[in-house]
Amino acid sequence: MAHDKLYDVFVIGGGINGCGIARDAVGRGYSVFLAEMNDLASGTSSWSSKLIHGGFRYLEYYEFRLVREALSEREVLLSNAPHIIWPLRFVLPHHKEMRPAWLLKLGLFLYDHIGTRKLLPGTKTVDLKTSPVGKPLKPLFSKGFEYSDCWVNDARLVVLNARDAADRGAEIHTRTEVVGAERKDGVWEVTIADRATGAREIIHARLIVNAGGPWVDRILSGVVGRNDAHNVRLVQGSHIVVPKLHNHDRAYIFQNGDGRIIFALPYEEDFTLIGTTDQDYDGDPKDVKITDSEIDYLCAAASEYFEKPVERSTIVWTYSGVRPLYDDGASAAQEATRDYVLKADPDEGAPLLNIFGGKITTYRKLAESMLELIEARLGKKSAPWTHRAALPGGDFPASDFEGEVARLHADYPFLEVKQARRYVRQYGTKARLLLGKASSMADLGEDFGYGLYTAEIDYLMAHEWAMEAADVLWRRTKRGLRLEPAQVAALEAYMAKKRAA
């Protein structure tokens, strides 16, 4: 079956880059079709360290342009999505056997000043012997530094970009695989397949953006027929989640003897997230999982600093992702550039633009760079616009999160404040769309566990492309950390019944 419409831009991939480009493009007046073979953010974009950050350690590799751009983006993204992004202070203990204190001070001075910083506080020195942030650490750490970055709910950032793109006219299709693409008469004929039914359809587009992430080279070879494609270096990064290791709201950044760093981050109120690793990966990205050596590495690295050792037996969850870094020939995985590279396919005719590398912090700038390439080929329609455009639910001041919680609670006084706060963290001002005319907890329907009510499931299925329990539990929310198997089964049964209705 052939689709009659000719789209300007066909985006392959529903991760942060694909959804960010779709949003920017449709907002400038281009017609957009996006196909994601699985769920939105089901690949690399949901397996990050959940940080909007400049990349302090990238200064050692002289990635000054990348760090400057990322630092400037922190506050842009914070202002546009204050519900899912918020400031986070990082504690860097000085380890006398690692980098000297003067080098850390110099790096942090650059970190404070080479990018735009108006909302976030700067660096300060911390006495770890007297400060509460030193209490969880071993006594040998007496001095440290504290600096600012931001936390992000990464999977929700992807979904909200997709939601905004759809609201502006883009077609977003999940569980839709691109199985072929051929140039004909100056346009692309893209064959897509519904992964549930197997039904195929042909979509016509003037230009393709290959935002396949770890699959970008496979798309070039398997879909487009470019058998010589080799542009990305797949690097595995894994994380572990353990019960909360401290009672304050700071994060830690630890230096390791191998020159790498790891983070220990407050996570979902009751947990600590520890990561990440860096090792080359040569398998299928969908099969990636944490290795025993990575678990040992993360436990040992954290235990080097925490007074209470982090043991394998305390781990409640792990996750792993594959970062599709541009292959710049770096000898070690941690040295490979995190910068993005955009390349046009050399063939004549309908354009094919490919994305290699990138990081979640700079996705919006990457999209703007990609739009410059699109404009050069399809003609300019309108100016860049995303710099000051709130994502859905983010239309309140970055400094007024608690005020938004209070306003939601005033509108729905039957909610516990904790539940109101979670709704604002997830949905911002869109929480009112979820809650609708509810006037009591009973109006929210069945509780599948830990405050995950039918009303929220219905909202996620209707507005955010959630189709299966995993979409809800591990990407739209993180309730999967808490629900028992029977509760998950009940949720899956409910969603299957609703899909069939």
Side-chain angles (χ1 to χ4, degrees), residues 1-7 33 171 173 201-204:
M1 177 180 174
H3 205 291
D4 291 336
K5 182 175 180 179
L6 174 63
Y7 292 87
F33 190 108
E171 292 196 32
H173 294 258
E201 189 176 359
I202 294 176
I203 306 297
H204 293 93

Side-chain angles (χ1 to χ4, degrees), residues 244-401:
K244 188 163 62 175
L245 296 173
H246 53 77
N247 293 318
H248 57 76
D249 62 356
R250 305 300 202 263
Y252 291 97
I253 175 172
F254 296 145
Q255 305 172 80
N256 300 322
D258 60 0
R260 296 202 65 255
I261 59 95
I262 65 163
F263 298 108
L265 308 162
Y267 191 60
E268 293 295 311
E269 297 181 346
D270 300 320
F271 305 95
T272 297
L273 172 65
I274 299 172
T276 181
T277 57
D278 267 317
Q279 61 181 38
D280 287 309
Y281 182 79
D282 59 6
D284 190 320
K286 70 179 175 60
D287 297 328
V288 65
K289 61 181 180 180
I290 196 167
T291 64
D292 283 339
S293 62
E294 286 179 302
I295 292 175
D296 291 342
Y297 175 87
L298 292 174
C299 288
S303 297
E304 177 80 13
Y305 287 84
F306 286 119
E307 178 72 15
K308 182 180 179 181
V310 176
E311 298 177 347
R312 178 186 289 258
S313 61
T314 64
I315 296 172
V316 298
W317 185 48
T318 68
Y319 66 84
S320 300
V322 177
R323 295 186 287 271
L325 306 182
Y326 183 68
D327 193 353
D328 61 357
S331 59
Q334 70 260 29
E335 295 172 6
T337 182
R338 265 57 176 175
D339 210 345
Y340 54 82
V341 175
L342 309 181
K343 282 190 174 183
D345 187 79
D347 290 350
E348 297 296 325
L352 168 63
L353 305 177
N354 304 287
I355 301 166
F356 308 109
K359 60 200 295 282
I360 200 164
T361 303
T362 53
Y363 88 90
R364 195 194 64 83
K365 294 296 288 184
L366 182 153
E368 288 188 334
S369 297
M370 178 59 78
L371 262 293
E372 291 179 7
L373 299 182
I374 292 172
E375 288 175 342
R377 287 153 178 84
L378 302 186
K380 185 172 182 177
K381 288 184 176 286
S382 61
W385 62 278
T386 59
H387 185 269
R388 298 189 183 279
L391 284 164
D395 50 339
F396 62 91
S399 59
D400 195 31
F401 176 82

Side-chain angles (χ1 to χ4, degrees), residues 78-118:
L78 173 61
S79 296
N80 290 342
H83 47 331
I84 61 165
I85 299 174
W86 59 93
L88 186 60
R89 294 287 282 175
F90 286 76
V91 177
L92 170 60
H94 174 228
H95 195 308
K96 294 178 181 178
E97 297 180 9
M98 308 290 181
R99 298 163 181 86
W102 67 264
L103 183 61
L104 297 178
K105 286 182 178 179
L106 175 61
L108 288 167
F109 177 83
L110 289 172
Y111 205 69
D112 272 351
H113 292 93
I114 67 173
T116 304
R117 181 177 57 82
K118 296 179 180 177

Side-chain angles (χ1 to χ4, degrees), residues 9-62:
V9 179
F10 189 108
V11 180
I12 305 176
I16 189 58
N17 291 331
C19 291
I21 290 165
R23 178 190 183 228
D24 195 339
V26 74
R28 298 197 199 197
Y30 297 99
S31 55
V32 176
F33 190 108
L34 181 147
E36 162 55 47
M37 66 178 177
N38 297 307
D39 181 30
L40 297 172
S42 57
T44 304
S45 295
S46 61
W47 305 128
S48 75
S49 294
K50 327 283 184 204
L51 299 177
I52 298 295
H53 66 138
F56 179 52
R57 74 182 182 88
Y58 304 153
L59 291 173
E60 285 193 309
Y61 300 108
Y62 308 110

